[in-house]
mmCIF file of all heavy atoms in Angstrom:
data_model
loop_
_atom_site.group_PDB
_atom_site.id
_atom_site.type_symbol
_atom_site.label_atom_id
_atom_site.label_comp_id
_atom_site.label_asym_id
_atom_site.label_seq_id
_atom_site.Cartn_x
_atom_site.Cartn_y
_atom_site.Cartn_z
ATOM 1 N N LEU A 43 12.451 14.079 -9.333
ATOM 2 C CA LEU A 43 12.729 12.649 -9.193
ATOM 3 C C LEU A 43 13.510 12.074 -10.370
ATOM 4 O O LEU A 43 13.849 10.886 -10.373
ATOM 5 C CB LEU A 43 11.410 11.884 -9.051
ATOM 6 C CG LEU A 43 10.613 12.156 -7.758
ATOM 7 C CD1 LEU A 43 9.191 11.631 -7.896
ATOM 8 C CD2 LEU A 43 11.303 11.519 -6.562
ATOM 9 N N PHE A 44 13.760 12.921 -11.394
ATOM 10 C CA PHE A 44 14.497 12.506 -12.593
ATOM 11 C C PHE A 44 13.800 11.354 -13.319
ATOM 12 O O PHE A 44 14.437 10.406 -13.780
ATOM 13 C CB PHE A 44 15.947 12.119 -12.249
ATOM 14 C CG PHE A 44 16.725 13.225 -11.602
ATOM 15 C CD1 PHE A 44 16.940 13.233 -10.227
ATOM 16 C CD2 PHE A 44 17.225 14.288 -12.360
ATOM 17 C CE1 PHE A 44 17.651 14.256 -9.619
ATOM 18 C CE2 PHE A 44 17.936 15.327 -11.761
ATOM 19 C CZ PHE A 44 18.145 15.315 -10.395
ATOM 20 N N ILE A 45 12.458 11.438 -13.376
ATOM 21 C CA ILE A 45 11.692 10.472 -14.163
ATOM 22 C C ILE A 45 10.715 11.248 -15.038
ATOM 23 O O ILE A 45 10.511 12.453 -14.844
ATOM 24 C CB ILE A 45 10.924 9.471 -13.269
ATOM 25 C CG1 ILE A 45 9.897 10.198 -12.390
ATOM 26 C CG2 ILE A 45 11.875 8.646 -12.417
ATOM 27 C CD1 ILE A 45 8.991 9.254 -11.617
ATOM 28 N N SER A 46 10.106 10.577 -15.984
ATOM 29 C CA SER A 46 9.160 11.250 -16.866
ATOM 30 C C SER A 46 7.838 11.468 -16.131
ATOM 31 O O SER A 46 7.504 10.736 -15.186
ATOM 32 C CB SER A 46 8.911 10.422 -18.122
ATOM 33 O OG SER A 46 8.223 9.224 -17.806
ATOM 34 N N GLN A 47 7.083 12.463 -16.572
ATOM 35 C CA GLN A 47 5.799 12.733 -15.945
ATOM 36 C C GLN A 47 4.815 11.566 -16.105
ATOM 37 O O GLN A 47 4.127 11.213 -15.138
ATOM 38 C CB GLN A 47 5.185 14.019 -16.504
ATOM 39 C CG GLN A 47 3.894 14.424 -15.788
ATOM 40 C CD GLN A 47 3.401 15.786 -16.215
ATOM 41 O OE1 GLN A 47 4.179 16.640 -16.617
ATOM 42 N NE2 GLN A 47 2.097 15.999 -16.128
ATOM 43 N N PRO A 48 4.737 10.926 -17.291
ATOM 44 C CA PRO A 48 3.836 9.763 -17.413
ATOM 45 C C PRO A 48 4.194 8.640 -16.439
ATOM 46 O O PRO A 48 3.310 7.988 -15.880
ATOM 47 C CB PRO A 48 4.034 9.330 -18.863
ATOM 48 C CG PRO A 48 4.432 10.580 -19.577
ATOM 49 C CD PRO A 48 5.295 11.317 -18.603
ATOM 50 N N SER A 49 5.506 8.416 -16.239
ATOM 51 C CA SER A 49 5.930 7.366 -15.309
ATOM 52 C C SER A 49 5.502 7.698 -13.885
ATOM 53 O O SER A 49 5.057 6.822 -13.124
ATOM 54 C CB SER A 49 7.443 7.178 -15.368
ATOM 55 O OG SER A 49 7.852 6.733 -16.637
ATOM 56 N N LEU A 50 5.643 8.979 -13.515
ATOM 57 C CA LEU A 50 5.246 9.398 -12.170
ATOM 58 C C LEU A 50 3.732 9.271 -12.003
ATOM 59 O O LEU A 50 3.248 8.786 -10.980
ATOM 60 C CB LEU A 50 5.693 10.842 -11.912
ATOM 61 C CG LEU A 50 5.279 11.441 -10.564
ATOM 62 C CD1 LEU A 50 5.840 10.617 -9.408
ATOM 63 C CD2 LEU A 50 5.749 12.894 -10.449
ATOM 64 N N SER A 51 2.999 9.713 -13.007
ATOM 65 C CA SER A 51 1.533 9.622 -12.944
ATOM 66 C C SER A 51 1.081 8.171 -12.790
ATOM 67 O O SER A 51 0.170 7.868 -12.017
ATOM 68 C CB SER A 51 0.908 10.232 -14.205
ATOM 69 O OG SER A 51 1.208 11.616 -14.300
ATOM 70 N N ALA A 52 1.757 7.269 -13.513
ATOM 71 C CA ALA A 52 1.423 5.846 -13.432
ATOM 72 C C ALA A 52 1.712 5.296 -12.040
ATOM 73 O O ALA A 52 0.935 4.485 -11.502
ATOM 74 C CB ALA A 52 2.201 5.073 -14.482
ATOM 75 N N ALA A 53 2.837 5.728 -11.435
ATOM 76 C CA ALA A 53 3.203 5.241 -10.100
ATOM 77 C C ALA A 53 2.196 5.707 -9.052
ATOM 78 O O ALA A 53 1.814 4.952 -8.156
ATOM 79 C CB ALA A 53 4.604 5.730 -9.741
ATOM 80 N N VAL A 54 1.759 6.962 -9.177
ATOM 81 C CA VAL A 54 0.779 7.503 -8.227
ATOM 82 C C VAL A 54 -0.572 6.809 -8.417
ATOM 83 O O VAL A 54 -1.249 6.457 -7.450
ATOM 84 C CB VAL A 54 0.637 9.029 -8.396
ATOM 85 C CG1 VAL A 54 -0.500 9.565 -7.533
ATOM 86 C CG2 VAL A 54 1.945 9.732 -8.021
ATOM 87 N N LYS A 55 -0.941 6.601 -9.687
ATOM 88 C CA LYS A 55 -2.204 5.925 -9.989
ATOM 89 C C LYS A 55 -2.205 4.498 -9.427
ATOM 90 O O LYS A 55 -3.222 4.021 -8.904
ATOM 91 C CB LYS A 55 -2.428 5.894 -11.507
ATOM 92 C CG LYS A 55 -3.823 5.474 -11.911
ATOM 93 C CD LYS A 55 -4.863 6.498 -11.441
ATOM 94 C CE LYS A 55 -6.260 6.107 -11.880
ATOM 95 N NZ LYS A 55 -7.280 7.039 -11.333
ATOM 96 N N LYS A 56 -1.056 3.840 -9.500
ATOM 97 C CA LYS A 56 -0.934 2.482 -8.963
ATOM 98 C C LYS A 56 -1.166 2.480 -7.459
ATOM 99 O O LYS A 56 -1.847 1.594 -6.914
ATOM 100 C CB LYS A 56 0.445 1.909 -9.295
ATOM 101 C CG LYS A 56 0.640 0.468 -8.836
ATOM 102 C CD LYS A 56 2.008 -0.060 -9.249
ATOM 103 C CE LYS A 56 2.208 -1.497 -8.786
ATOM 104 N NZ LYS A 56 3.554 -2.020 -9.169
#
Side-chain angles (χ1 to χ4, degrees):
L43 293 166
F44 301 102
I45 62 173
S46 67
Q47 185 172 332
S49 296
L50 177 59
S51 297
V54 173
K55 192 65 178 175
K56 183 178 180 181

